[in-house]
């Protein structure tokens, strides 16, 4: 099913794209997407990537994209790691003790900007995806929240796709802390919040009305694009997505190659 953009619409002069489900599925590249991004790179159409995944750094994601044939530099990738570090730097002095649940890239990024990670009386709790999550970590997060610590979640996703199905994601951890401490109001970053989209748009330097957000999930990708005031395109896939009230993609495509049509995409002059 494909909805065509009306001829009167502005051409596309910049692309912001989700990663998993658009560029690749797990470790498997999506061939049409690889071809589309390579074509855009050759023609000089700027693009950037946004992801709720906090398990890898921008450099690691760029390396993965390069391995599967999509030209990418770390500066083109915006993750919830950058959203967390940006928020910390804006709101709290570096003397503020932080407890974080997450993989090494998230923890290292927090330390790299000067914050001390500790499980002793933290004032901030950061919740990210952690494949080694255990009761001790959850207990520390809950006790800190009970003591009044600010809780920050990297993203709202309750499930994350893996090669053989789905695994619980950060939203599950956030829900557990909120259930134990009903008075806490977690700050939830990542899509559908528009912060990552705004970062990517600033990097591209393209006009908002000539830039599109492409993703495979309505509740995160499309909603984030809409929140940022951009046209949002849903890449249809076999991955189920939930409809969201008042969030409707501007277009539904079967392949990123559908956006390579010269009538749709306006290459930079």
């Amino acid at each position: 099913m494909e909805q065509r953009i009306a001829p009167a619409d502005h051409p596309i002069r910049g692309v912001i794209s989700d990663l998993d489900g658009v560029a690749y599925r797990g470790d498997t590249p999506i061939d049409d997407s690889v071809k589309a991004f390579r074509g855009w790179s050759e023609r000089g159409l700027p693009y950037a990537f946004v992801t709720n995944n906090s398990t890898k750094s921008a450099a690691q994601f760029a390396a993965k994209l390069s391995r599967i044939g999509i030209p990418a530099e770390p500066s083109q990738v915006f993750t919830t790691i950058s959203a967390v570090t940006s928020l910390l730097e804006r709101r709290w002095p570096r003397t503020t003790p932080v407890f974080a649940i997450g993989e090494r890239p998230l923890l290292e990024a927090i330390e790299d900007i000067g914050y001390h990670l500790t499980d002793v009386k933290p004032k901030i709790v950061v919740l990210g995806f952690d494949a080694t999550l255990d009761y001790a970590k959850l207990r520390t997060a809950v006790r800190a929240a009970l003591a009044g610590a600010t809780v920050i979640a990297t993203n709202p996703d309750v499930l994350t796709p893996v090669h053989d199905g789905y695994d619980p994601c950060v939203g599950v951890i956030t829900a557990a802390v909120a259930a134990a401490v009903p008075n806490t109001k977690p700050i939830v970053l990542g899509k559908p919040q528009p912060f990552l989209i705004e970062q990517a748009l600033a990097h591209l330097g393209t006009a908002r009305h000539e830039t599109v957000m492409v993703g495979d999930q309505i509740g995160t990708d499309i909603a984030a694009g809409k929140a940022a005031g951009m046209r949002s395109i849903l890449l249809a896939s076999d991955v189920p997505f939930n409809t969201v009230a008042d969030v409707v993609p501007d277009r539904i495509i079967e392949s990123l190659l559908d956006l390579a049509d010269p009538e749709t995409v306006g290459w930079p002059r």
Side-chain angles (χ1 to χ4, degrees), residues 116-203:
H116 175 57
L117 291 177
T118 179
D119 58 3
V120 179
K121 296 182 179 180
K123 297 298 183 183
I124 301 169
V125 173
V126 176
L127 305 178
F129 182 86
D130 187 345
T132 61
L133 177 67
D134 57 21
Y135 186 80
K137 294 177 182 178
L138 184 60
R139 178 179 60 199
T140 298
V142 167
R143 288 186 175 182
L146 284 169
T150 299
V151 178
I152 302 170
T154 58
N155 58 287
D157 305 71
V158 294
L159 293 174
T160 185
V162 293
H163 72 283
D164 58 352
Y166 292 88
D167 283 348
C169 198
V170 179
V172 174
I173 308 172
T174 309
V177 173
V181 193
N183 289 334
T184 193
K185 302 297 181 185
I187 299 171
V188 182
L189 303 176
K191 300 171 290 182
Q193 299 300 322
F195 181 75
L196 293 178
I197 313 297
E198 296 287 356
Q199 282 189 316
L201 187 64
H203 169 76

Side-chain angles (χ1 to χ4, degrees), residues 203-267:
H203 169 76
L204 293 180
T206 51
R208 193 178 302 269
H209 66 277
E210 293 183 331
T211 310
V212 294
M213 171 65 201
V214 182
D216 68 326
Q217 293 295 304
I218 290 178
T220 52
D221 304 320
I222 303 305
K226 292 293 186 181
M230 293 168 44
R231 283 176 290 169
S232 300
I233 299 173
L234 181 70
L235 178 63
S237 71
D238 57 358
V239 179
F241 57 79
N242 296 320
T243 59
V244 179
D246 301 323
V247 179
V248 179
D250 293 286
R251 184 180 178 188
I252 301 175
I253 59 175
E254 301 290 340
S255 163
L256 280 196
L257 290 177
D258 293 335
L259 296 183
D261 185 343
E263 294 179 359
T264 300
V265 178
W267 304 117

